[in-house]
Amino acid sequence: MKIGLTLSGGNALGAYGAGAYEALHDRGYPPHIVSGASIGAINGGIIAGNPPEQRVSKLREFWQQAARGSAFGLAPGSGKPREYYNAAHALQTLLMGRPGLFTPRLPGVLSILPGMPPDVALFDSKPLVATLQRVIDFDVLNAAEVPLLIGAVDMETGQPVFFDTRKERFEARHFLATTAFTPGFPPVEIDGRCLADPGLISNLPIDALLNPAPTEDLLCFAVDLFESRGERPRSLDTGLERAQDIIFSAQSLRAIAAGSAEHRLRRIIGELSAHIPQDGLDNAVAELAQAGRDNELTIVLLAYAAHKHELSAKTLDFSRASLDERWTAGREDMSAALDKLERGDATGRDLGYTFYDARRASV
């Protein structure tokens, strides 16, 4: 069975996706194809752009770089002190950026003041280029032994754009485009198109793995960084966090539902066409029959259930403590998902389709 891995965007939450990959690596489930959006594309680039024995260490190197410069000492374990600690690191990111990832842009936020020149973003992501060149071997990546597909959105048309290492040569600018969440980061021009972070329309690019429709059995691990389920809001901050989680996770759930529905229809077409004599078929029916499939699709979904001390600004919290927690959560959640998969404890089964909902409740 071919193994696919799709990784969602979520900025500092991306340490969860790295931890999830570590569990796949340790349990012997190497992906044969990877798709990613935003920080998921960077994690995916590190996975596809290194030999298997170096992938986890390079992921750790990237996330250690992301945590560098955390300014507020040891983290409290939980409660209000931890919330204040996380908030301080989110504020640090807003004011100072992150070493090796992005820096404040001028005029940036000052462009809203009278007399200041206009600007399109708050941060400059150029420091990320050197970091990517250190953690990704672009020759390995572009050899496409493990194909990587990353998403973006065309800021003029609103249409999704995908790049595929089997079709084009990747450079650092492709990763700058997929991480350019507006207005945080400036759009990137590639081939005449103004491109930005696909989280605006599709934060978990599972459709990139399902289009064109695969012809072989596919086991797809879908790692979302936002969880649609959660507690009722109890403050402005928890309300904002819930809204953020629902907006992004709903995209993922719709994409999975659409992909599974299309696969079911293709299986039905395949089943029906097998009972139709092939001699004398008119062109329209023959073309329809070619859309049929007889392969199996299995999707395993896991999502980051944020700790209670996380805030709505969690995507900006790059503290070492929070990144380590998210990495550990990803590793543990993926390990539990693999246990569920190996037991055959499916959440749902349909014609040619099996779904494992491995998400856990909030912690």
Side-chain angles (χ1 to χ4, degrees):
M1 181 175 288
K2 188 175 183 179
I3 298 174
L5 174 63
T6 183
L7 302 165
S8 86
N11 209 5
L13 305 183
Y16 178 85
Y21 172 76
E22 183 181 36
L24 286 177
H25 177 83
D26 291 346
R27 295 279 291 267
Y29 286 81
H32 303 111
I33 187 170
V34 180
S35 70
S38 195
I39 193 64
I42 290 180
N43 280 337
I46 297 171
I47 293 166
N50 283 286
E53 66 275 10
Q54 295 181 16
R55 292 171 183 168
V56 173
S57 64
K58 287 297 185 180
L59 284 168
R60 286 198 179 278
E61 182 179 343
F62 175 83
W63 286 102
Q64 287 169 357
Q65 171 72 58
R68 191 167 296 166
S70 297
F72 303 102
L74 294 176
S78 60
K80 283 295 181 182
R82 181 57 187 276
E83 290 184 18
Y84 298 145
Y85 177 88
N86 292 348
H89 278 92
L91 181 60
Q92 179 191 19
T93 298
L94 278 173
L95 295 177
M96 303 174 61
R98 297 305 306 164
L101 301 185
F102 52 88
T103 56
R105 179 182 172 102
L106 290 176
V109 69
L110 298 178
S111 65
I112 65 175
L113 299 177
M116 295 296 290
D119 205 346
V120 296
L122 303 177
F123 300 103
D124 189 337
S125 54
K126 289 178 182 176
L128 179 60
V129 173
T131 300
L132 292 175
Q133 291 172 342
R134 192 173 69 250
V135 297
I136 297 175
D137 186 328
F138 279 84
D139 289 334
V140 172
L141 178 65
N142 287 306
E145 182 174 339
V146 177
L148 175 66
L149 299 88
I150 65 173
V153 61
D154 188 313
M155 292 296 285
E156 293 180 297
T157 67
Q159 295 300 307
V161 176
F162 287 100
F163 296 102
D164 185 338
T165 53
R166 295 168 297 187
K167 299 178 181 178
E168 54 233 319
R169 185 169 183 83
F170 275 33
E171 301 172 3
R173 60 181 179 147
H174 292 86
F175 294 98
L176 298 187
T178 191
T179 54
F181 195 87
T182 187
F185 302 94
V188 176
E189 183 170 330
I190 298 179
D191 298 331
R193 293 176 295 189
C194 179
L195 303 179
D197 191 310
L200 296 169
I201 57 171
S202 177
N203 199 47
L204 181 72
I206 191 170
D207 47 335
L209 301 183
L210 303 179
N211 184 24
T215 58
E216 54 196 320
D217 294 347
L218 177 65
L219 167 61
C220 181
F221 294 97
V223 182
D224 202 355
L225 300 183
F226 298 93
E227 168 63 275
S228 61
R229 304 165 303 177
E231 298 178 355
R232 294 181 179 184
R234 61 185 186 277
S235 66
L236 288 175
D237 187 77
T238 56
L240 181 58
E241 183 185 15
R242 280 276 67 227
Q244 176 182 239
D245 288 349
I246 291 170
I247 287 170
F248 289 117
S249 62
Q251 297 178 11
S252 305
L253 296 174
R254 286 196 299 269
I256 290 172
S260 61
E262 178 180 334
H263 180 74
R264 184 176 187 276
L265 288 174
R266 290 183 180 278
R267 280 297 301 262
I268 291 172
I269 293 171
E271 296 275 348
L272 292 175
S273 62
H275 297 283
I276 300 175
Q278 300 301 301
D279 295 338
L281 287 181
D282 62 44
N283 292 336
V285 175
E287 184 177 352
L288 179 62
Q290 290 177 1
R293 294 290 186 271
D294 62 1
N295 62 314
E296 296 286 327
L297 172 63
T298 302
I299 295 178
V300 180
L301 171 66
L302 55 155
Y304 176 54
H307 292 76
K308 293 186 184 300
H309 52 249
E310 299 255 33
L311 304 171
S312 60
K314 59 192 175 185
T315 60
L316 297 176
D317 174 15
F318 284 87
S319 65
R320 187 176 302 278
S322 293
L323 296 185
D324 287 347
E325 283 179 349
R326 294 163 189 159
W327 183 297
T328 299
R331 185 177 64 239
E332 292 177 349
D333 285 0
M334 181 60 83
S335 182
L338 291 172
D339 290 342
K340 191 179 182 76
L341 173 69
E342 291 170 0
R343 290 194 307 267
D345 187 13
T347 307
R349 298 182 188 275
D350 206 334
L351 181 62
Y353 174 64
T354 308
F355 179 58
Y356 291 85
D357 188 343
R359 297 173 296 168
R360 63 173 174 173
S362 297
V363 294

